[in-house]
């Protein structure tokens, strides 16, 4: 099945708004075994949109169009769709009634520009929008089905998941002699992309039905596995074998798969261990806390912490002795250790995690240049672990990887606790 995406709007072609809809849909289609063949961005020009619709319909089996279905003067995608299909616009009675009721609930009159959202190409299949106003409508042009969706991401995703993908899946299942595909995305941290590639290269030869691919999304690197076979059972079996081999090769570097996120995985590990955590952050400026508190229920394991950005605050809030700072400097192994132990004692937690470093572009010393970061993990009844990292990149990149490296100390400890004496 050949699928193309067509996104309309001046904001997309002028760089004012990034296209977030296409990557979302591409990933969802990929889960079905479909690689999008083309993504086209078109500005708010009637002739350009109409031409693009005809060209995509000529090339593809399915075209998914987003944007231009709202009530404003530059929302004319429905008009272009009717022109491309060679049919008039007609009023969809159900949509019009919905719009009237929606306006009444808000104490408003239905205005002509809002009522325009009920106009669709004649012969369209119209599907209500569960989270917005403009409906999804589906137009057939020759052998192609075109799905027209609002461009608002929340509405777009709801209609993609609830209406578009089930229809595409149903059509896919009908195709004779189809190739079945199965997918897995393995998420890794702490391993560079080139090293990841080198380590799994021998596996590709041993798993001929599986395509190995890579994607970097800092601070993680992702291994994409796609198995192809004449039957679903064979594809699933090939994928399972390749995944097992990859996990054995990569070990702890694999933190999750598919839709897993690092903070959620770490939160689960902390919760299962009934462990609590406190943080002392310097160069990361609260980034670690922000990541963890993005998880619902974080208060069950993250009891507190401090952004100890200056030396006096390292002493006041994390208990770092002033003489230690004077002797070794704020960016050093001893201070990282003292920060982790001090914040753990202050918050009375299972673990205390600290990070201090030179994020740049200024600062640093000959021994510890910009990009040097020290991370430490303190735990009851065990020596405090401290590691030094050299991180390349700008200030944001140093902070991002510093947070990742610090959290990796914690994840490794949770997965491989020290043996009892």
């Amino acid at each position: 099945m050949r699928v193309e995406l067509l996104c309309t709007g001046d904001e997309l072609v002028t760089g004012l708004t990034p296209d977030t809809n296409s990557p979302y849909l591409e990933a969802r289609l990929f889960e079905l075994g479909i690689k999008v063949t083309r993504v086209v961005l078109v500005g708010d020009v009637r002739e350009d949109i109409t031409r693009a619709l005809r060209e995509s319909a000529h090339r593809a089996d399915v075209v998914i169009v987003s944007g231009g279905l709202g009530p404003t003067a530059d929302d004319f995608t429905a008009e272009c769709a009717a022109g491309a299909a060679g049919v008039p616009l007609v009023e969809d009675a159900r949509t019009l009634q919905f719009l009237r009721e929606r306006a009444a609930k808000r104490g408003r009159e239905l205005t002509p520009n809002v009522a325009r959202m009920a106009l669709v190409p004649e012969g369209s299949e119209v599907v209500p929008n569960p989270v917005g106003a403009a409906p999804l409508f589906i137009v057939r042009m020759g052998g192609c089905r075109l799905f027209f969706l609002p461009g608002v991401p929340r509405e777009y995703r709801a209609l993609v998941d609830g209406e578009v993908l089930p229809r595409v899946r149903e059509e896919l299942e009908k195709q004779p002699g189809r190739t079945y595909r199965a997918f897995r995305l393995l998420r890794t941290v702490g391993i560079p992309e080139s090293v990841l590639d080198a380590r799994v290269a021998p596996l590709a030869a041993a798993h001929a039905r599986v395509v190995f691919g890579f994607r970097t999304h800092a601070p993680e690197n992702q291994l994409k596995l796609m198995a192809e076979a004449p039957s679903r059972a064979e594809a699933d079996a090939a994928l399972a074998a390749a995944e097992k081999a990859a996990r054995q090769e990569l070990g702890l570097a694999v933190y999750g798969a598919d839709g897993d996120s690092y903070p959620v995985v770490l939160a689960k590990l902390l919760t299962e261990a009934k462990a609590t955590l406190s943080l002392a952050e310097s160069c990361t400026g609260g980034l670690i806390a922000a990541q963890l508190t993005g998880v619902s229920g974080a208060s069950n394991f993250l009891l507190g912490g401090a952004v100890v950005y200056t030396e006096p605050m390292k002493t006041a809030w994390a208990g770092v002795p002033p003489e230690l700072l004077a002797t070794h400097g704020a960016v050093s192994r001893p201070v990282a250790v003292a920060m982790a132990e001090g914040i753990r004692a202050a918050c009375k937690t299972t673990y205390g995690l600290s990070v201090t470093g030179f994020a740049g572009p200024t600062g640093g010393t000959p021994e510890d240049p910009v990009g040097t970061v020290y991370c430490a993990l303190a735990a009851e009844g065990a020596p405090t672990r401290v590691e030094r990292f050299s991180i390349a990149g700008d200030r944001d990149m140093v902070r991002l990887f510093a947070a990742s490296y610090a959290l990796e100390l914690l994840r490794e400890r949770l997965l491989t606790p020290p043996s009892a004496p």
Side-chain angles (χ1 to χ4, degrees):
M1 178 182 291
R2 188 178 177 92
V3 177
E4 293 193 8
L5 311 185
L6 176 58
C7 310
T8 70
D10 280 347
E11 70 278 7
L12 299 178
V13 296
T14 56
L16 295 176
T17 301
D19 172 25
T20 58
N21 288 335
S22 295
Y24 178 80
L25 180 53
E26 288 164 354
R28 298 306 310 277
L29 288 170
F30 193 68
E31 293 170 3
L32 297 181
I34 298 172
K35 289 183 179 180
V36 171
T37 54
R38 189 178 302 222
V39 179
V40 180
L41 304 181
V42 186
D44 291 321
V45 180
R46 284 178 172 82
E47 295 79 7
D48 292 346
I49 295 174
T50 303
R51 184 184 309 111
L53 289 171
R54 288 174 178 155
E55 291 173 351
S56 291
H58 180 72
R59 288 189 301 259
D61 302 303
V62 171
V63 178
I64 301 168
V65 187
S66 64
L69 302 184
T72 59
D74 58 353
D75 290 319
F76 38 71
T77 298
E79 175 188 327
C80 297
V87 298
L89 283 173
V90 296
E91 195 171 75
D92 181 68
R94 184 172 58 169
T95 300
L96 186 63
Q97 182 61 27
F98 166 76
L99 294 174
R100 284 200 182 102
E101 293 173 355
R102 187 171 184 265
K105 288 178 182 177
R106 299 182 176 189
R108 302 173 184 171
E109 292 287 335
L110 180 62
T111 57
N113 62 332
V114 174
R116 283 199 307 117
M117 289 192 287
L119 295 175
V120 298
E122 186 178 58
S124 299
E125 177 187 352
V126 182
V127 180
N129 184 337
V131 294
L136 158 71
F137 59 87
I138 306 168
V139 177
R140 283 197 175 271
M141 292 175 58
C144 179
R145 278 201 300 177
L146 296 93
F147 295 80
F148 291 82
L149 292 81
V152 179
R154 176 171 170 265
E155 300 178 30
Y156 181 88
R157 294 185 180 195
L159 287 165
V160 160
D161 293 341
E163 303 294 342
V164 176
L165 292 176
R167 286 170 167 81
V168 171
R169 184 185 297 110
E170 182 182 3
E171 191 68 26
L172 195 62
E173 296 291 344
K174 294 178 183 177
Q175 292 187 342
R178 61 167 295 200
T179 297
Y180 287 83
R181 296 184 177 93
F183 304 90
R184 183 71 72 244
L185 182 70
L186 295 183
R187 298 175 176 270
T188 75
V189 288
I191 179 170
E193 185 181 31
S194 59
V195 176
L196 178 62
D197 181 26
R199 288 181 61 175
V200 302
L203 304 181
H207 297 271
R209 282 185 167 174
V210 179
V211 178
F212 287 68
F214 305 89
R215 182 174 68 178
T216 295
H217 186 70
E220 67 182 69
N221 287 302
Q222 300 166 355
L223 174 62
K224 300 180 292 183
L225 303 174
M226 181 179 73
E228 297 181 314
S231 70
R232 184 171 299 282
E234 290 174 285
D236 289 343
L239 177 66
E243 179 183 359
K244 180 180 179 181
R247 286 181 177 273
Q248 288 176 340
E249 171 61 33
L250 299 173
L252 289 181
V254 178
Y255 80 79
D258 298 333
D260 290 338
S261 75
Y262 192 91
V264 170
V265 168
L266 196 55
K268 182 180 178 182
L269 290 173
L270 284 163
T271 302
E272 289 175 347
K274 296 186 169 78
T276 54
L277 174 68
S278 55
L279 305 168
E281 300 186 61
S282 184
C283 65
T284 47
L287 182 58
I288 298 174
Q291 291 179 1
L292 293 178
T293 54
V295 180
S296 177
S299 59
N300 292 325
F301 56 84
L302 182 61
L303 301 194
V307 177
V308 288
Y309 212 66
T310 62
E311 292 190 6
M313 292 302 99
K314 288 178 174 64
T315 298
W317 291 346
V320 180
E323 58 271 21
L324 200 67
L325 290 160
T327 302
H328 298 282
V331 179
S332 63
R333 290 180 185 273
V335 168
V337 169
M339 287 168 59
E341 294 175 349
I343 202 67
R344 192 185 80 82
C347 296
K348 298 181 174 57
T349 52
T350 312
Y351 298 106
L353 188 63
S354 73
V355 58
T356 180
F358 295 116
T362 59
T365 67
E367 296 79 16
D368 291 321
V370 168
T372 299
V373 172
Y374 291 92
C375 303
L377 178 67
E380 183 179 6
T384 296
R385 179 183 174 187
V386 58
E387 298 289 346
R388 179 184 185 274
F389 301 97
S390 295
I391 304 170
D394 60 16
R395 184 178 181 83
D396 289 342
M397 193 64 69
V398 172
R399 295 176 67 246
L400 180 65
F401 274 90
S404 176
Y405 289 145
L407 288 171
E408 264 301 277
L409 298 185
L410 177 61
R411 188 178 75 97
E412 290 176 9
R413 172 61 185 265
L414 290 165
L415 290 172
T416 55
S419 304

